[in-house]
Amino acid sequence: MPPVSLKQLSLRMGQWGRGMAEDLAVMDEDEVHADRVAAILDAVEAGDVARLTHLLEPLHAADIADLLEQIGSGDRKALVALWAAEIDGELLSELDESIREEVIEALPREVVAVAMRELDSDDVVDILEDLDAPQQGIILEALEDADRVAVEQALAFPEESAGRFMQREVVVSPEHLTGGEAIDYLRGAEHLPDQFYHVILTDPRMKPTGYVTLGRLLSSRREVRLKDILEDSFRTVPATESEADVAYMFNQYHLISAPVVDGSGRLVGVITIDDAMNVLDEEHEQDMLRLAGVGDESSLSDGAFATARQRLPWLVVNLFTASISAFVISMFESTIAALVTLAALMPIVASTGGIAGTQSLAVAVRALATRSLTSANARRVVLRELLGGLLNGCGLAVILGVASFAVFGDWKLGVVLGVAMITNQVVAGLGGVLVPLTLHRFRLDPALASGTFVTTLTDVLGYLAFLGLASWFLL
């Protein structure tokens, strides 16, 4: 071991100390959270509203929503019943869909009505579309007439479209105004959204012609015309556009907000960056859950029956695909009986191929979701995965070949293992990108079924290559 200087030792000790401090900070935070949850549940059990309010009031609505998702259903209902008067629209909008309906059912109607009136139309729509028809009717009746009409119009658009998650509250200005006139015009408006980023300019037919950022508006001289300080990023979104395409557009072109137009090109709403990013987060979460084969609506708050119902179909599919692998193995019973060592080595080839296929698959599905992988570069990506699989296979083949010779003293077995490993790594790399590309071409969700196909492909061909080569070369 080379000598270590005092300075190097000091640096290492400092790094170790910082790492230890970070670990302790995480542990302390977890302990504080656990203590807070325990104190809250004690207050609920004691029916102590004052104590419960003291514990929950300092927390952000998102943190309270997380807490409600983490505790059991019985404790959650008791907490909601005890603290119902303090639950507002912001908290309801932060709740996970899996428990939102349960919380709303536990609340008095008047509390729900007040909470819904506090929210913007897009948040109300987001809550309503996950509820049953009777509950939707109760909430719609609680809204003011103008808000109810706006929400009903939004619900009339197709699911997962821009019209569903757009905000109806829009800041609009006639296009002929100057900056000073626009500021006076906005100050005189009766209702403005709590947060907005652009002033949208429209012509007399209510068709958007551009927008001005608030920063540009406030920093310009009063006599400057709005037309002269328009943003180059202006884009409109059709109300029927899919929410995934809208989120991609926001991410691709770094938009802050975008006006939504109907079939005639007239302004009907606006989509802001926070809503677009929520869609992106949901898309990513769904892709992860689908790749794991647990459905796209799984949640920690789900009960045992709901969890089993979501996972059982894919377990049945995997049972069927595993039987294909078992059939392939059964074709080589005599080979395995003659060389029992093969039974111990088979999982190495199959499992390593499965891991490589999952790696390639994760990259391909993510690239398809972000539209980085297209028909224009598909050939190059497939070739890259082929060569990558070949290089990985050669590296693993050398390691396995040397190890098998050292353990079993049979160089032929090492050759079989190495060639099978190279074959399966190439198959895994190609399968991981070709399977999702094929499903995407046929307009099927690559994240939903690719994992099963790729795993089956690597298992079957891995066993086939290894046992086939062993039958030909070793017997």
Side-chain angles (χ1 to χ4, degrees), residues 221-249:
R221 299 178 65 86
R222 287 184 59 87
E223 62 271 15
V224 174
R225 295 174 61 84
L226 294 181
K227 285 184 177 181
D228 297 331
I229 54 174
L230 295 177
E231 289 294 305
D232 296 334
S233 61
F234 175 72
R235 294 171 182 270
T236 60
V237 177
T240 54
E241 189 85 13
S242 74
E243 62 179 22
D245 289 339
V246 175
Y248 169 80
M249 184 177 75

Side-chain angles (χ1 to χ4, degrees), residues 21-43:
E22 290 174 359
D23 292 341
L24 288 173
V26 171
M27 292 173 62
D28 289 344
E29 186 177 343
D30 290 342
E31 290 177 1
V32 168
H33 177 72
D35 291 342
R36 182 188 294 122
V37 172
I40 289 171
L41 293 181
D42 287 342

Side-chain angles (χ1 to χ4, degrees), residues 11 78 83 91 95 127 254 362 364 383 385 395 421 459 464 472:
L11 286 172
W83 209 56
L91 174 55
L95 286 173
I127 292 174
H254 312 295
L383 181 61
E385 292 296 333
M421 183 62 71
D459 284 352
L464 191 61
W472 173 68

Side-chain angles (χ1 to χ4, degrees), residues 108-122:
R109 288 192 180 185
E110 58 272 16
V111 172
V112 176
V114 172
M116 290 297 104
R117 294 190 192 115
E118 297 172 350
L119 296 174
D120 290 331
S121 58
D122 58 327

Side-chain angles (χ1 to χ4, degrees), residues 262-283:
D262 61 14
S264 303
R266 289 175 297 193
L267 182 68
V268 292
V270 65
I271 293 173
T272 54
I273 187 170
D274 56 332
D275 293 321
M277 292 306 100
N278 283 339
V279 172
L280 269 185
D281 289 341
E282 289 173 3
E283 290 285 325

Side-chain angles (χ1 to χ4, degrees), residues 311-465:
R311 299 180 186 181
L312 183 60
W314 289 107
L315 292 174
V316 172
V317 171
N318 286 331
L319 185 65
F320 172 74
T321 57
S323 65
I324 300 176
S325 300
F327 173 74
V328 171
I329 294 172
S330 68
M331 295 169 56
F332 298 94
E333 285 182 4
S334 58
T335 303
I336 297 173
L339 293 169
V340 181
T341 306
L342 298 178
L345 297 175
M346 283 191 305
I348 297 177
V349 178
S351 64
T352 310
I355 292 172
T358 301
Q359 292 172 336
S360 177
L361 176 63
V363 173
V365 169
R366 185 73 194 97
L368 285 170
T370 58
R371 306 185 189 184
S372 302
L373 177 56
T374 64
S375 56
N377 64 350
R379 185 187 299 272
R380 178 177 60 81
V381 174
V382 170
L383 181 61
R384 185 198 70 177
E385 292 296 333
L386 187 152
L387 293 176
L390 183 61
L391 291 173
N392 285 335
C394 290
L396 292 170
V398 171
I399 296 171
L400 269 179
V402 173
S404 62
F405 178 74
V407 174
F408 302 106
D410 188 349
W411 68 270
K412 290 184 178 181
L413 181 61
V415 171
V416 169
L417 261 176
V419 174
M421 183 62 71
I422 292 172
T423 303
N424 208 19
Q425 287 294 307
V426 171
V427 168
L430 289 176
V433 68
L434 287 176
V435 168
L437 272 174
T438 303
L439 292 174
H440 182 71
R441 185 178 183 86
F442 287 99
R443 300 186 181 280
L444 299 172
D445 187 354
L448 190 59
S450 295
T452 301
F453 286 123
V454 172
T455 301
T456 302
L457 191 65
T458 55
D459 284 352
V460 170
L461 293 183
Y463 291 135
L464 191 61

